[in-house]
Amino acid sequence: MRSVTINPARMCQPIGAMYALFGVHAAVSLVHGSQGCAAYPMRMFNRHFRELVQVAVSSLGEDASVFGGKKNLTTAIKNVIARRHPELIGVITTCLSETIGDDIDGIIREGKYECKVVPIHTPSYVGSHVTGYDNALCSLVSHLSKEPDAVDERINIVPGMVNPGDIMEIKQMLDSMNVSYTILSDISETLNAPLMLPKPPFPEGGTSVDEIEDCANACGVISLCEHAGGSAAVFLKGKYGMAADTICPIGVENTDRFLAAVCDMTGGGIPNSLEKERGRLIDAMVDVHMKTYGKRAAIFADPDIALALAEFVTELGMDVVIISSSTASRKFLQKAKSVTDGGEILNGRDLYELHRAVKDREVDILFGNTKCKPIAKDEGVAFVRCGFPVYDRVGYHRYGIMGYHGGVYLTDMIMNAILEWEERE
Amino acid sequence: MPFTLLKSDKPIPEREKHTYIKAASENLLPRCNVQTTPGDFTERGCTYAGCMGVVCGPIKDVIHLVHGPIGCAYWTWGGGTRQNLSDNPGFHRKYCFSTDMQEDNVIFGGEDKLYKSILEAHEEFPEAKGVFVHATCTIGLIGDDLNGVCKRAEQEIGIRVVPFNCEGFRGCSQSLGHHIANDTLFERVVGTKEPEYTTDYDMNIIGDYNIQGDLWVIKPLFERMGIRILCTFTGNASVDEIAQAHRAKLNLMHCQRSTPYICRLMEKKYGIPVLRASLFGIEQTSKALREVAAFFGLEDKAEEIIEEEESKVAPEIEEYRKKFDGKRVFIYQGAPRAWHWIPMFRELGIETIAAATTFGHEDDYAKICARVNDGVLVLDNPNALELEEILSELKPDLFVSGLKEKYLSYKLGVPFINGHSYENGPYAAYSGFLNFVSDIEKAMFAPVWGLIRREGHA
């Protein structure tokens, strides 16, 4: 295997932690590191969501890197609270602060702060953005959740690094089932905010700190992306004995399973309106099956999304000839073997390797983020944009691909990509 | 009171010294080029960004290998959000190289991985003219011998391998990264190759990064005058052009914050004089052409070009000026564009009511203060809360800044132009100026601004 990475498939942990914190109402991400570690990820959010994001940084300089960053961190927390009055600060570490070995848990514990301050360990030399999201969510839940005092029929949903549109799809399904829920954490409004004046100090929406504190009173937890949020579900199960499941509801059967799990946990049923939505998805799939059947698909995404997408395109009659995960994991490798029939599995390999595989495998259609566009272009394959970041087109964050309704949108997108590809000459 | 403390800065009074309201009677400048107040929501980046992102990244035919964990390479892939175009798109900005340091590399050192990575990258892309190795935070902390590894790799692969010690935590902003890139390129590249021939009219354009093709409208103006551009530092530059830059007769410096270092070094070692120029707006562009022409004795030719170019754009600009007259702009840029653009906006009838820079030094602020009217707010290293306060209280008709500030502006209902990577550029020289004013019109006169509702509206 190469030592050099060419065209990386993944970002580093801090951006995943920010992603999670943007879904908490009036929360501030405070990066403990170099200024670039805040500035660069902010731009990636700007490009994908076309939204305002604000991230604070402790601005570690040369002195702090030698003598430790305690003073910078305590000053930064104090300044953020005094000027921004947040309900929560997530302190996000970096390769710099982890390598110099600042004891951020100790520093935070020593301080007496007017708002919740949660340490999130996200060294950039371990894992990826997915790991960062997972660590952040687990930190939030483990530091904030209180012992249950009145468990009810509410469920917790840990969405992972999905789009606002995906969370809207999940919410609409749960609403139609009359199920109460807490989304941990909810970017559906914070990263798809209306333009109305005056601008609120923090975007409206997001999960409140109270809701996170109360999350142990739910009867169950479902993580949609096991690699990005699964640890929080495992924590809730381990500490409070909460029923836990992990299902990524992309495609017909995955959504069926998701809804069945919700019914199991809450005792609810599936309303006719959802049955109709399922019927519409099947209708959309029937409409296009003469074009989708037998197409050779290459899928690149974060691990859970890649697996679920592979299952969905299989439902559309495609052959998954390549499945590629941004982040290496043993679980991905195992599951990838079961969702592909002899297809090539790229477990956390870079996009240069994906390009090589696309060339070798006579791919018809490629699924991936904007970084995959040159591969699709060079190899002349149909291209369906999904995942994070997508910034060469607008609006992808607004529309969900999860659930039956999201499946219709995804089916149409796939079909249109095939039609455009057929018209390319 | 020359200095002022914004309302949002009450808890961080040290910001007062960075916030100056210009008065002609005084000889004051805002405090600048110092460490950021921790946690103040700064818009600044890091030293790596200044070195790899700004100065080195535009060099189009070398492998830019980022030594460190994966994120830093990912952010600068394809220039990041920077639109530093080149004529080598099949390679430049298409590929991103990283040593992707893992935990065991941090513990046991990353030298072996770096060495192997250089060799492998060269093997995959043998046509690349060199390997530039950029260090990120971790490298400075664990003490990898960057210079030693690069030297060894250079001997092995036979093309230049240049280390840049641009760890993100060095310095207080991107600015030190510019300096490191300048020094390293001067020491390791400039003067290592002789041009095939020289002429009496050889000139370098230093400090232009070809944002959305700026150089492609700047360069022909000088070429038509009879000048040969030996090297563009570093927009659309090949490493060989930089290597032979020492034979130019004149350095024309555009970005005067990121490149005065190399200009000074070349002046000292090779005796190349420096001419500082602004190539934005009609007046400044024509002035620059005249000054360059005077240096080379090409005045007649320059006047012909100036007349032709001005007559092409002036009538249209005049129409825009009528439409823009009396509008007010807040300019917040890296540094020099803040003062490049004050007179350019004035040409359009637009007055600057506030000017700020991310990493300006004293000379930048001196130029800003010399160009703005009394009472104008001049701000160093503004943070997100200060920007929101200024946009809300001063209500400019236009805010010119970068991507991170774009959606703050939009959410406050303030028309915005991305001055870093442009909207529909290029923006430089004559034809670029037309693009700029056309974007200003789109930004300020888009009907959507009139549709925003305020709270309490039925």
Side-chain angles (χ1 to χ4, degrees):
Chain A
M1 206 151 108
R2 268 186 282 118
S3 287
V4 69
T5 291
I6 308 176
N7 292 358
R10 62 192 161 80
M11 292 159 266
C12 58
Q13 286 206 63
I15 194 171
M18 291 171 211
Y19 208 113
L21 285 164
F22 285 137
V24 179
H25 181 70
V28 165
S29 292
L30 169 58
V31 174
H32 188 37
S34 285
Q35 289 167 159
C37 304
Y40 275 126
M42 278 161 78
R43 287 198 193 101
M44 202 53 92
F45 288 112
N46 292 145
R47 294 173 99 181
H48 179 85
F49 295 101
R50 295 176 198 249
E51 284 288 336
L52 166 64
V53 294
Q54 294 184 328
V55 174
V57 61
S58 61
S59 297
L60 291 182
E62 211 145 359
D63 285 0
S65 303
V66 176
F67 302 112
K70 181 177 176 177
K71 191 162 169 263
N72 282 62
L73 181 56
T74 50
T75 309
I77 295 173
K78 193 176 70 74
N79 288 340
V80 168
I81 292 173
R83 297 174 73 226
R84 203 77 178 86
H85 315 294
E87 287 180 18
L88 177 129
I89 296 174
V91 175
I92 298 169
T93 64
T94 57
C95 44
L96 175 57
S97 50
E98 291 284 348
T99 307
I100 61 180
D102 277 345
D103 171 23
I104 66 156
D105 296 64
I107 295 169
I108 291 169
R109 223 178 299 119
E110 276 172 27
K112 296 271 178 286
Y113 300 113
E114 294 152 37
C115 78
K116 305 279 177 194
V117 182
V118 174
I120 300 168
H121 290 276
T122 48
S124 317
Y125 45 75
V126 176
S128 74
H129 55 286
V130 173
T131 327
Y133 185 99
D134 197 59
N135 285 338
L137 234 292
C138 196
S139 273
L140 286 173
V141 168
S142 62
H143 280 86
L144 297 177
S145 66
K146 293 177 179 165
E147 286 294 324
D149 50 14
V151 175
D152 53 32
E153 283 170 359
R154 161 185 23 152
I155 55 168
N156 295 317
I157 302 285
V158 186
M161 292 184 73
V162 301
N163 276 316
D166 291 310
I167 297 181
M168 292 307 288
E169 294 294 346
I170 299 294
K171 283 177 163 182
Q172 275 158 20
M173 288 195 290
L174 296 176
D175 286 341
S176 72
M177 297 166 82
N178 283 322
V179 168
S180 10
Y181 52 84
T182 301
I183 309 280
L184 300 168
S185 68
D186 184 359
I187 60 163
S188 64
E189 288 185 72
T190 55
L191 289 176
N192 189 19
L195 203 176
M196 292 159 77
L197 292 172
K199 169 191 159 297
F202 286 99
E204 282 170 19
T207 314
S208 69
V209 170
D210 287 350
E211 285 174 299
I212 304 174
E213 286 178 335
D214 199 38
C215 73
N217 275 324
C219 65
V221 54
I222 303 176
S223 63
L224 308 187
C225 297
E226 189 177 7
H227 292 79
S231 300
V234 168
F235 171 85
L236 290 171
K237 184 181 181 183
K239 177 141 191 206
Y240 306 115
M242 191 180 289
D245 209 338
T246 177
I247 305 156
C248 188
I250 295 173
V252 182
E253 289 191 345
N254 282 328
T255 304
D256 291 347
R257 281 177 52 228
F258 171 77
L259 295 176
V262 172
C263 291
D264 277 352
M265 286 177 182
T266 63
I270 294 174
N272 192 40
S273 60
L274 273 182
E275 285 294 345
K276 274 195 200 163
E277 265 186 18
R278 188 181 190 280
R280 271 190 211 101
L281 172 56
I282 304 299
D283 191 67
M285 292 166 71
V286 168
D287 288 346
V288 303
H289 70 279
M290 295 305 286
K291 290 279 188 194
T292 56
Y293 187 92
K295 286 283 185 295
R296 296 168 63 82
I299 293 170
F300 166 74
D302 289 341
D304 308 285
I305 310 261
L307 292 165
L309 269 176
E311 287 167 324
F312 180 50
V313 303
T314 304
E315 289 173 339
L316 283 167
M318 294 190 189
D319 300 325
V320 177
V321 294
I322 300 164
I323 180 164
S324 177
S325 162
S326 66
T327 305
S329 109
R330 213 173 298 149
K331 273 185 193 154
F332 171 80
L333 191 59
Q334 281 166 1
K335 288 192 184 165
K337 282 177 189 156
S338 67
V339 300
T340 61
D341 185 15
E344 184 164 352
I345 298 166
L346 301 175
N347 188 15
R349 302 297 300 278
D350 57 29
L351 298 185
Y352 193 66
E353 199 58 26
L354 175 65
H355 194 157
R356 194 266 317 143
V358 168
K359 207 182 279 224
D360 288 355
R361 296 265 167 171
E362 292 176 0
V363 167
D364 297 315
I365 183 164
L366 171 66
F367 294 73
N369 62 24
T370 292
K371 298 291 187 194
C372 296
K373 183 160 85 168
I375 302 176
K377 227 171 151 185
D378 285 359
E379 303 313 316
V381 301
F383 183 41
V384 177
R385 289 170 181 81
C386 56
F388 175 82
V390 174
Y391 51 80
D392 63 323
R393 292 289 183 276
V394 298
Y396 275 72
H397 64 293
R398 281 191 245 280
Y399 306 102
I401 60 170
M402 288 185 159
Y404 300 130
H405 182 257
V408 173
Y409 170 67
L410 180 55
T411 304
D412 292 348
M413 234 181 6
I414 292 169
M415 180 61 173
N416 286 331
I418 292 171
L419 292 172
E420 267 169 41
W421 172 64
E422 285 181 349
E423 292 166 3
R424 71 196 182 281
E425 270 123 12
Chain B
M1 271 295 281
F3 294 104
T4 188
L5 189 65
L6 295 173
K7 277 185 277 180
S8 59
D9 284 340
K10 289 235 164 77
I12 44 171
E14 66 268 35
R15 288 291 304 156
E16 183 170 347
K17 293 270 178 237
H18 299 262
T19 316
Y20 175 57
I21 294 174
K22 195 221 166 171
S25 54
E26 297 158 353
N27 192 19
L28 291 170
L29 296 173
R31 187 157 192 255
C32 60
N33 198 27
V34 293
Q35 291 291 341
T36 310
T37 296
D40 80 350
F41 293 88
T42 183
E43 306 287 328
R44 276 180 169 174
C46 59
T47 299
Y48 163 79
C51 178
M52 163 66 190
V54 174
V55 179
C56 290
I59 300 170
K60 65 187 175 185
D61 57 357
V62 298
I63 291 162
H64 295 285
L65 174 62
V66 182
H67 186 31
I70 199 70
C72 308
Y74 201 95
W75 313 135
T76 49
W77 183 358
T81 53
R82 293 179 66 77
Q83 298 280 309
N84 46 7
L85 308 184
S86 81
D87 55 17
N88 187 21
F91 173 70
H92 179 233
R93 303 174 90 232
K94 183 174 179 181
Y95 295 103
C96 167
F97 301 86
S98 168
T99 56
D100 188 10
M101 295 271 282
Q102 297 297 302
E103 194 158 20
D104 58 334
N105 306 128
V106 174
I107 295 166
F108 301 111
E111 293 178 10
D112 284 351
K113 196 169 192 189
L114 173 60
Y115 182 74
K116 283 187 198 137
S117 293
I118 296 169
L119 265 51
E120 289 167 1
H122 169 66
E123 202 182 323
E124 289 294 328
F125 296 91
E127 67 281 8
K129 294 294 197 296
V131 182
F132 284 6
V133 177
H134 303 270
T136 68
C137 289
T138 319
I139 306 312
L141 296 175
I142 65 173
D144 274 0
D145 176 14
L146 205 59
N147 296 10
V149 173
C150 289
K151 204 170 168 189
R152 203 149 51 87
E154 187 170 84
Q155 284 160 357
E156 179 66 30
I157 64 178
I159 57 168
R160 66 176 95 230
V161 180
V162 183
F164 292 83
N165 293 98
C166 54
E167 287 85 349
F169 60 78
R170 296 189 196 281
C172 62
S173 69
Q174 295 93 313
S175 187
L176 182 64
H178 308 145
H179 200 149
I180 291 167
N182 276 225
D183 284 354
T184 310
L185 287 169
F186 179 77
E187 280 162 27
R188 301 293 304 263
V189 181
V190 174
T192 58
K193 186 173 186 280
E194 290 301 324
E196 270 178 45
Y197 63 95
T198 58
T199 77
D200 291 338
Y201 301 99
D202 288 351
M203 182 177 87
N204 299 321
I205 299 174
I206 307 284
D208 196 286
Y209 303 108
N210 201 31
I211 302 300
Q212 284 198 359
D214 270 351
L215 278 168
W216 292 326
V217 296
I218 293 171
K219 215 173 144 187
L221 295 172
F222 294 107
E223 286 170 343
R224 278 161 61 198
M225 221 188 269
I227 287 165
R228 182 173 75 144
I229 305 300
L230 202 54
C231 167
T232 50
F233 186 96
T234 54
N236 192 32
S238 67
V239 70
D240 280 353
E241 280 167 17
I242 295 172
Q244 62 187 25
H246 62 300
R247 292 302 178 212
K249 304 296 183 291
L250 178 68
N251 276 337
L252 182 70
M253 178 167 40
H254 200 199
C255 178
Q256 294 161 39
R257 177 74 283 123
S258 64
T259 52
Y261 321 105
I262 197 155
C263 287
R264 270 201 294 274
L265 290 165
M266 288 170 81
E267 190 167 24
K268 204 172 156 202
K269 184 163 177 185
Y270 300 106
I272 305 173
V274 185
L275 188 66
R276 293 157 186 266
S278 291
L279 294 160
F280 294 104
I282 296 176
E283 284 172 21
Q284 296 185 126
T285 305
S286 296
K287 180 170 177 269
L289 291 186
R290 287 197 174 100
E291 285 174 0
V292 169
F295 177 87
F296 287 107
L298 297 165
E299 289 92 337
D300 293 350
K301 191 69 199 153
E303 288 308 323
E304 266 175 48
I305 295 163
I306 290 167
E307 201 190 321
E308 188 190 328
E309 293 295 324
E310 285 192 359
S311 68
K312 269 196 269 182
V313 299
E316 218 173 317
I317 296 292
E318 180 55 24
E319 286 307 306
Y320 281 113
R321 205 192 57 75
K322 284 180 201 154
K323 197 167 179 183
F324 298 166
D325 196 42
K327 297 282 185 194
R328 301 142 71 244
V329 64
F330 172 19
I331 310 173
Y332 168 35
Q333 290 291 304
R337 279 170 198 214
W339 51 262
H340 280 312
W341 287 349
I342 294 163
M344 182 200 71
F345 275 111
R346 199 166 278 150
E347 254 183 275
L348 296 168
I350 301 173
E351 265 310 316
T352 302
I353 56 162
T357 88
T358 304
F359 46 73
H361 296 199
E362 284 192 351
D363 54 333
D364 294 297
Y365 288 106
K367 289 189 187 101
I368 290 173
C369 287
R371 285 163 166 79
V372 295
N373 295 333
D374 273 12
V376 166
L377 181 65
V378 181
L379 186 63
D380 171 64
N381 181 20
N383 55 63
L385 278 69
E386 294 168 352
L387 293 173
E388 181 162 350
E389 185 177 338
I390 294 166
L391 292 170
S392 308
E393 307 255 315
L394 299 185
K395 297 188 173 59
D397 298 300
L398 180 67
F399 182 34
V400 185
S401 186
L403 182 68
K404 294 198 306 304
E405 301 79 43
K406 179 180 207 162
Y407 299 99
L408 172 66
S409 193
Y410 282 178
K411 287 285 192 258
L412 292 166
V414 177
F416 178 91
I417 284 181
N418 188 332
H420 295 215
S421 51
Y422 303 168
E423 306 287 340
N424 305 283
Y427 283 172
Y430 303 102
S431 59
F433 190 36
L434 271 188
N435 295 333
F436 206 157
V437 291
S438 155
D439 276 349
I440 293 169
E441 184 195 31
K442 287 172 199 154
M444 290 200 298
F445 293 92
V448 67
W449 299 120
L451 302 173
I452 299 171
R453 275 194 181 161
R454 285 176 186 275
E455 204 177 22
H457 187 285

